[in-house]
Amino acid sequence: MQDTIVIGHKNPDTDSICSAIAYAQLKSQLAPDTSFVAGRCGQLNKQTRYILERFGVAAPRFLRDVHPRVRDALQEEAVWAHCNTPIFQVMRNIDEKRIRITPIVDDHGIFNGVVSILEVAEFFLEKDTVHHPNFLIRPENFPAVLPGTFHREGELEEFPARIFAAAMPSERAVERFERMQSDDILLITGKRRDILEYAIRKQFPAIILTGIEGPDDLDIDFSSYRGWVYISQWDTAETLRRCTLAVPCKSIMNRDVPVATPEMLFEEARDIVASSEHKGLPVLDEQRRLLGMVTRTNFLHRPQPRLVLMDHNELAQAVDGAENARIVEIVDHHRLGSLKTTHPIHVLAKPVGSTCTLVYQQYRFHGITPDPVTAGLLLCGILSDTVITKSPTTTVEDTDALEHLATLAGVDSQKLGLEIFSASDSLANAEPRAVVNGDLKIYSEFGVSVGIAQVEVVTLSEPAEIYLQLQAALDDLRSSRKLDWTMLLITDIIKEESILLTSAYPCGEQRLSYGRRDDHVYHLPGVLSRKKQLLPEILRILEECGNETLRK
């Protein structure tokens, strides 16, 4: 069953993580035959880690990207063969199951090589047409290709030998044996006493007898013989034809073939298969155990991961690879971006203070009561995103949800709010690059790319050098992400005011309506919301800068 990943935006905050966990649980209850899994595409901040630990909830699965990989196309039920399996079985796979390539493993499932049509053809199209070829003989394989019984088991488990059918006068046969200058011979013969006595004396490693009516028909003394004796039910010609099919796979398998791992990118594996003469890739784990196969057929259709986007609706903020995934649902409380889908989808978007509010409303809509832990997560998501209801984005729907969820979770929402914000790092103890990347959202409007990060604190009384370090981190962010303008909104949730730090962008900075404190530092009294208060101001400025550029 394919997982549907319920996932928030890059640089996830508490609202995106808690809403993803709670919504995946709800969807799993509504559609028990479908697998919904909460995911994340970034590291958890300290506040979110504290919340998950407090309620005893595991972090969602980390996904660096959702690009399709070999594991998404893997044939887990691939047909394989043991290295000692007779090649007859591989040929049956080719004929009956239309399997062109068979991976070969040992007793521990470790991959050894492959046998395909190519290796089988090369085996039978022997280049040396003058001399008797040597074959690796494993007598225990005889019953798999030749109906019959063992009359005697030999000492050698396997051995190289030339196959010789003695259908000529015994004198001529002995002459041939002598000319071979080797006693490593698999002899196929009827009840030819002279030839058999010679083979016993020379200790040929194996003898296959044909034309024997039964045990009473075999009056040859094999007591001094140390080799194998097998009685075939078929005639000499058919026995000879079938004998080579008992050769074990390992003697003809190709060891030098490309392989894949489950984490290999789908496109990379597809290109390897396209250029490989075998047209198939064994898939191995780190110990080289066989996990399955991927063949050309598996690459006819590109796998599409299924995604439910939480707390965002723009590809710039989504997990890498989302552009080629199948987005099946969006639950969000932000402005709508330019996301396009190839199929109709369910979209739940409302101007409330938190995505967790929307998830709670879905629980109510479907008549399902969240358990105390889930209620606690939803409560924390709302408290975090509405800054304990102080943010101007807070609506009556958010406060109603907080009241009901606090009852279900058995906590005081105001005390819990102060608790989770106190768990956040102070700026003095935080790494500047982590701060500017922690809750970062990127917007592209009017030909300009802007990155806006936000961090909530309980005081803005930080030493001046802290702000200088953060501004340097903003400059690095702008350069590394190839953005035009970067900024950090530092919000004091107690005094309900913010400081805005920006990278250099003269056209935009000169239009900011906020009070300037220092170079690239602005005071924003009463501003707590990036989405509702800061972003509209930035979009206005970008539009004006764009119009000015056009006039020039």
Side-chain angles (χ1 to χ4, degrees):
M1 180 189 301
Q2 182 184 13
D3 289 341
T4 298
I5 306 298
V6 184
I7 190 167
H9 49 73
K10 294 177 180 176
N11 307 305
D13 58 7
T14 295
D15 185 40
S16 69
I17 292 294
C18 292
S19 63
I21 295 173
Y23 199 57
Q25 292 179 355
L26 174 63
K27 297 294 286 186
S28 295
Q29 294 181 63
L30 295 174
D33 295 333
T34 305
S35 175
F36 290 90
V37 178
R40 60 187 173 94
C41 53
Q43 299 303 314
L44 301 178
N45 61 40
K46 188 174 181 180
Q47 181 191 90
T48 308
R49 288 199 305 272
Y50 171 80
I51 291 167
L52 295 182
E53 291 172 2
R54 186 189 191 284
F55 287 96
V57 177
R61 179 196 301 176
F62 175 70
L63 298 170
R64 193 177 307 278
D65 60 64
V66 291
H67 294 300
R69 299 183 183 275
V70 166
R71 63 171 181 263
D72 301 314
L74 180 62
Q75 298 176 11
E76 295 182 350
E77 300 299 323
V79 175
W80 54 270
H82 189 273
C83 55
N84 290 327
T85 298
I87 63 173
F88 174 70
Q89 184 58 56
V90 174
M91 294 176 64
R92 289 187 64 180
N93 293 342
I94 296 171
D95 180 45
E96 298 175 4
K97 300 180 180 180
R98 296 294 187 265
I99 295 173
R100 300 174 62 87
I101 178 172
T102 300
I104 309 300
V105 302
D106 65 12
D107 293 335
H108 305 289
I110 303 299
F111 174 76
N112 280 203
V114 301
V115 174
S116 70
I117 292 177
L118 298 174
E119 284 74 35
V120 172
E122 184 175 347
F123 174 71
F124 286 104
L125 295 176
E126 174 61 47
K127 299 180 178 63
D128 188 350
T129 58
V130 178
H131 302 94
H132 272 83
N134 262 315
F135 297 97
L136 181 62
I137 303 300
R138 192 175 182 84
E140 69 176 19
N141 287 347
F142 290 164
V145 298
L146 290 168
T149 58
F150 284 106
H151 179 69
R152 187 182 187 86
E153 293 188 4
E155 297 177 352
L156 299 177
E157 190 175 69
E158 62 183 28
F159 47 86
R162 299 174 181 177
I163 300 176
F164 191 97
M168 61 188 69
S170 56
E171 297 82 3
R172 296 281 181 86
V174 170
E175 288 178 8
R176 293 287 182 90
F177 295 149
E178 297 293 341
R179 283 205 299 268
M180 287 182 181
Q181 297 181 345
S182 173
D183 295 331
D184 293 331
I185 295 173
L186 167 59
L187 176 65
I188 302 175
T189 185
K191 193 170 68 172
R192 307 281 300 279
R193 183 174 298 276
D194 292 347
I195 294 177
L196 288 172
E197 289 177 349
Y198 179 89
I200 293 170
R201 188 166 62 254
K202 289 292 189 178
Q203 292 295 330
F204 288 179
I207 298 171
I208 299 179
L209 296 170
T210 61
I212 303 299
E213 297 295 335
D216 295 337
D217 192 28
L218 189 60
D219 56 356
I220 306 297
D221 181 12
F222 288 101
S223 60
S224 63
Y225 182 54
R226 299 191 301 273
W228 296 74
V229 178
Y230 187 75
I231 300 175
S232 172
Q233 295 178 9
W234 284 346
D235 59 48
T236 301
E238 186 62 17
T239 298
L240 175 63
R241 188 180 74 84
R242 285 278 188 146
C243 195
T244 55
L245 302 182
V247 170
C249 288
K250 63 186 176 186
S251 67
I252 69 168
M253 69 181 178
N254 188 336
R255 299 176 185 270
D256 185 22
V257 293
V259 298
T261 66
E263 297 305 311
M264 180 181 286
L265 289 172
F266 179 85
E267 286 81 3
E268 180 183 353
R270 181 188 59 195
D271 293 343
I272 293 174
V273 169
S275 60
S276 170
E277 61 181 5
H278 287 97
K279 308 305 179 187
L281 278 179
V283 182
L284 314 179
D285 67 10
E286 294 179 353
Q287 286 75 43
R288 291 187 64 80
R289 286 191 296 263
L290 180 70
L291 300 177
M293 287 286 296
V294 285
T295 64
R296 287 182 299 176
T297 304
N298 301 119
F299 294 102
L300 294 178
H301 302 286
R302 191 177 191 274
Q304 273 195 308
R306 293 168 54 87
L307 301 180
V308 176
L309 302 186
M310 305 297 295
D311 198 31
H312 70 297
N313 66 81
E314 300 185 59
L315 287 177
Q317 299 174 13
V319 59
D320 288 345
E323 65 277 6
N324 293 316
R326 180 165 184 176
I327 298 171
V328 297
E329 193 170 347
I330 295 173
V331 182
D332 192 19
H333 67 129
H334 295 92
R335 66 170 193 149
L336 294 179
S338 57
L339 180 65
K340 295 180 180 179
T341 63
T342 56
H343 299 81
I345 68 170
H346 178 78
V347 178
L348 175 57
K350 293 175 68 176
V352 294
S354 167
T355 308
C356 283
T357 298
L358 301 180
V359 174
Y360 164 72
Q361 291 175 347
Q362 285 297 292
Y363 271 89
R364 291 286 298 269
F365 177 79
H366 291 287
I368 297 175
T369 301
D371 59 72
V373 170
T374 303
L377 294 181
L378 291 171
L379 183 62
C380 289
I382 299 172
L383 289 170
S384 177
D385 241 29
T386 65
V387 195
I388 321 178
T389 71
K390 293 180 180 181
S391 171
T393 61
T394 308
T395 66
V396 173
E397 295 177 69
D398 298 304
T399 55
D400 286 346
L402 282 175
E403 181 181 345
H404 292 127
L405 289 168
T407 301
L408 292 173
V411 298
D412 182 304
S413 62
Q414 291 299 309
K415 290 182 179 179
L416 180 61
L418 292 174
E419 183 183 325
I420 65 175
F421 276 102
S422 297
S424 302
D425 272 326
S426 70
L427 293 182
N429 297 328
E431 205 282 318
R433 286 179 298 180
V435 173
V436 301
N437 282 280
D439 184 10
L440 171 69
K441 293 189 177 178
I442 296 175
Y443 306 92
S444 296
E445 298 287 346
F446 308 105
V448 180
S449 295
V450 182
I452 307 177
Q454 184 174 17
V455 59
E456 287 94 4
V457 297
V458 293
T459 178
L460 293 175
S461 301
E462 299 287 359
E465 58 265 24
I466 299 298
Y467 290 161
L468 291 175
Q469 293 171 6
L470 290 170
Q471 284 178 316
L474 283 174
D475 288 334
D476 291 341
L477 175 66
R478 179 183 56 80
S479 176
S480 64
R481 300 290 287 269
K482 296 181 172 56
L483 301 173
D484 299 298
W485 197 10
T486 52
M487 54 192 72
L488 172 65
L489 185 66
I490 306 172
T491 302
D492 185 332
I493 65 169
I494 304 299
K495 292 185 177 181
E496 300 185 31
E497 62 179 354
S498 296
I499 292 293
L500 180 66
L501 307 182
T502 80
S503 62
Y505 190 66
C507 178
E509 288 185 279
Q510 68 185 7
R511 287 176 167 80
L512 283 170
S513 59
Y514 308 122
R516 182 173 174 274
R517 279 194 173 182
D518 205 339
D519 289 344
H520 318 303
V521 182
Y522 301 86
H523 180 225
L524 285 63
V527 173
L528 284 81
S529 172
R530 168 178 50 191
K531 174 182 68 176
K532 195 166 185 178
Q533 294 173 292
L534 177 59
L535 182 59
E537 169 75 356
I538 300 303
L539 294 179
R540 175 191 66 79
I541 291 171
L542 295 183
E543 183 176 15
E544 290 181 5
C545 288
N547 290 336
E548 180 179 301
T549 300
L550 289 175
R551 286 195 295 270
K552 291 180 180 179

